Amino acid sequence: MDTTSDFEALVARYYALLYQFAFGLTRVEADACDLTQQTFLIWASKGHQLRDPSKVKTWLFTTLHRQFLESQRRSKRFVHEEIGTIEHALPTVSSGVVERVDGSKVLEALGRVDPIYRAAVSLFYLEDWSYQEISEILDVPLGTVKSRISRGVHQLQKMLTEGSTGGRREIGEM
Amino acid sequence: MTTEEAKEALLRYRPGRPSGEDPLVEEAKAACERDEALRAWFEEHCRLQVSVRDGFRSILPPAGLKEQIISERRAALYTEKAGGWKRSRVVQFTGVALLTLVVWGVMSQRWGGGGEETSLAGYRKRMVGFALRTYSMELKTSKIEDIRQHLARRSFPSTFRLPPSVLEVPVVGCGSTRWQDAKVSMICFLRGEQPLASGVESDLWMFVMDGPNMKGRPRDQEIVVEKVNRLWTATWEKDGKLYLLATPGEEADLRRWL
């Protein structure tokens, strides 16, 4: 980064998007703040090494994701699960579910999506990233991105659907 | 392509975005034209996709995050510059003086400068916003000891003392946030006297922060009661900690717990 004002403009442009991605991964505000801040700190020291300015956004998201994985390894809470096949039938989506979906329900459901799918699903919904871009950010092959999105979205929808049909307790009932 | 295969491919369809990069999605969309049941499923799926996408995008960063990132970068830059000026004693002294001025400026802006954001009023506003905004509890439990252990593990305030009346309210979980670099614990209770809106999990919140030297903070033995947004709040200091209790309803609803 050349100047302080460039850095500040970069922060202003991307901090909210990065925070959304971080919150989707961690679901904890404080951790999401830390990840976002850490990402810009790394940019401040290493960003000048990036030669293609059009890749800044991808670089930031990639860095944040790596930081997240690193923090998960440190805490040893990240369970790396094998990608299985979709075992159950696809959920039936009723219109009532759609009307009742809000941010808290989405986050609640996302928190129960297998961790290995969570990042791909977050990127899929948060920004209009192409599969290629998601593949670069997560550093996984294109085919893996597609399967993670399919399975992650399937899990997410299943949870939202089950939540609406009495399969589990509704938050609003508490 | 079977119906199930088409549905699996359509899970990757994003309304409003060209799906040309995924031939299977295109093929599945074409299948919808021939299969009425599949088309109905796809239409509902699209509505859900839009709704979920909007849910994701409704996540808002906490107030002050951008400013915090920028101010820490500025502080780091000043430190780097100060490090490069060590050749001359005079310059070194100047650097230290400048750094002191910067630190003083930042501190006074944060704690004493009088901007609402750094005062008790700003703190109350932030915490009420946090409670009313879509938040997710980090831990859902009915045991206060579990909450203390969880917060202690994350180095958030955990040795708080709750008023006896509050302890009688069922605890449902906890969360955490930050304010001006300070860690704030949030303990969530459920009075359960009124039906809650969808997505709301508690109706009485206690925020605990290690007491900062903020403008407008309660004096010794003082309880400051204020309505902020649609919550009534009570704030007090005890044993070096700042407590903030918030609940919807009338002022009398709040005073029952003090």
Side-chain angles (χ1 to χ4, degrees):
Chain A
M1 185 54 54
D2 294 332
T3 64
T4 306
S5 60
D6 286 343
F7 177 82
E8 292 178 10
L10 191 81
V11 172
R13 187 168 180 188
Y14 293 121
Y15 87 102
L17 291 173
L18 287 166
Y19 174 83
Q20 287 177 331
F21 181 41
F23 196 85
L25 295 172
T26 64
R27 296 176 64 241
V28 177
E29 186 183 85
D31 292 346
C33 287
D34 288 347
L35 272 178
T36 307
Q37 189 157 354
Q38 182 68 12
T39 300
F40 283 112
L41 196 68
I42 295 171
W43 169 263
S45 62
K46 296 183 178 174
H48 63 277
Q49 295 170 3
L50 184 68
R51 293 183 180 175
D52 183 355
S54 68
K55 295 281 185 185
V56 170
K57 190 175 168 186
T58 308
W59 188 97
L60 290 169
F61 275 77
T62 303
T63 302
L64 189 146
H65 184 246
R66 284 182 184 158
Q67 290 299 307
F68 169 70
L69 291 179
E70 185 60 33
S71 68
Q72 293 297 299
R73 282 189 202 101
R74 278 198 298 269
S75 65
K76 296 181 180 176
R77 279 184 287 140
F78 185 65
V79 182
H80 195 86
E81 296 176 24
E82 289 297 318
I83 299 177
T85 54
I86 297 176
E87 293 170 354
H88 306 292
L90 289 157
T92 304
V93 183
S94 71
S95 55
V97 176
V98 179
E99 283 156 14
R100 286 193 296 273
V101 168
D102 58 26
S104 64
K105 278 198 173 69
V106 170
L107 290 172
E108 172 83 17
L110 181 66
R112 290 186 287 131
V113 168
D114 281 347
I116 199 163
Y117 306 146
R118 208 176 292 159
V121 171
S122 297
L123 291 169
F124 177 75
Y125 283 113
L126 280 175
E127 277 286 295
D128 284 333
W129 296 105
S130 67
Y131 294 147
Q132 184 60 44
E133 288 168 325
I134 296 175
S135 162
E136 288 173 24
I137 290 169
L138 303 183
D139 196 21
V140 293
L142 208 58
T144 308
V145 166
K146 289 183 185 179
S147 64
R148 285 187 185 180
I149 289 171
S150 283
R151 286 159 187 163
V153 170
H154 165 70
Q155 283 190 0
L156 190 69
Q157 289 200 351
K158 197 158 179 279
M159 286 161 192
L160 290 168
T161 309
E162 281 178 354
S164 73
T165 54
R168 53 179 287 278
R169 195 174 182 196
E170 279 286 274
I171 294 169
E173 291 170 9
M174 291 181 73
Chain B
M1 177 178 269
T2 66
T3 301
E4 287 305 304
E5 286 168 344
K7 284 183 178 178
E8 187 177 341
L10 290 170
L11 286 173
R12 296 194 298 273
Y13 177 72
R14 283 180 282 190
R17 183 184 168 85
S19 51
E21 63 176 339
D22 197 332
L24 278 177
V25 173
E26 285 300 302
E27 193 182 334
K29 278 175 70 182
C32 289
E33 300 301 318
R34 302 185 297 270
D35 184 336
E36 197 172 323
L38 181 62
R39 186 167 65 244
W41 179 91
F42 181 51
E43 283 169 1
E44 277 307 319
H45 171 70
C46 286
R47 291 183 61 202
L48 182 62
Q49 289 290 71
V50 169
S51 186
V52 172
R53 184 193 64 197
D54 292 346
F56 268 100
R57 294 180 181 179
S58 69
I59 301 167
L60 296 175
L65 176 60
K66 183 180 74 176
E67 290 73 17
Q68 187 180 334
I69 294 168
I70 289 172
S71 72
E72 296 214 1
R73 176 61 187 153
R74 283 178 183 166
L77 280 173
Y78 279 118
T79 307
E80 286 168 15
K81 284 177 184 171
W85 291 342
K86 284 182 179 174
R87 290 175 196 161
S88 157
R89 267 187 178 278
V90 175
V91 174
Q92 189 177 356
F93 274 119
T94 309
V96 170
L98 277 173
L99 195 61
T100 307
L101 274 173
V102 169
V103 170
W104 177 82
V106 169
M107 294 302 286
S108 61
Q109 188 185 12
R110 284 190 171 175
W111 305 122
E116 190 185 28
E117 287 304 317
T118 59
S119 64
L120 176 65
Y123 173 71
R124 265 195 314 252
K125 193 174 161 190
R126 255 298 295 289
M127 295 307 118
V128 166
F130 186 64
L132 291 176
R133 203 176 58 222
T134 303
Y135 67 88
S136 61
M137 284 189 243
E138 295 158 22
L139 177 70
K140 292 183 182 179
T141 177
S142 58
K143 295 176 182 171
I144 197 77
E145 271 318 304
D146 290 350
I147 287 174
R148 289 186 191 278
Q149 286 173 15
H150 171 80
L151 294 169
R153 269 198 303 274
R154 300 192 62 239
S155 304
F156 276 74
S158 60
T159 56
F160 44 80
R161 292 177 63 185
L162 300 173
S165 52
V166 172
L167 278 172
E168 290 173 10
V169 186
V171 67
V172 290
C174 70
S176 62
T177 185
R178 287 173 190 260
W179 190 78
Q180 301 289 324
D181 291 341
K183 294 182 172 182
V184 181
S185 297
M186 176 184 72
I187 304 102
C188 306
F189 301 88
L190 184 61
R191 290 164 49 191
E193 295 154 358
Q194 299 289 331
L196 300 181
S198 173
V200 179
E201 298 175 86
S202 55
D203 54 10
L204 183 70
W205 298 272
M206 175 70 87
F207 293 91
V208 187
M209 174 171 64
D210 288 323
N213 185 20
M214 69 168 69
K215 185 184 176 189
R217 73 182 193 275
R219 293 185 296 273
D220 193 30
Q221 305 290 323
E222 183 189 24
I223 298 177
V224 179
V225 174
E226 281 284 339
K227 187 170 189 186
V228 182
N229 202 323
R230 56 187 173 84
L231 299 188
W232 276 95
T233 68
T235 318
W236 67 92
E237 254 190 43
K238 192 168 180 64
D239 301 330
K241 286 185 166 47
L242 185 69
Y243 292 84
L244 191 156
L245 187 67
T247 193
E250 303 300 322
E251 183 177 354
D253 291 320
L254 174 76
R255 291 197 178 275
R256 286 160 57 194
W257 315 112
L258 299 178

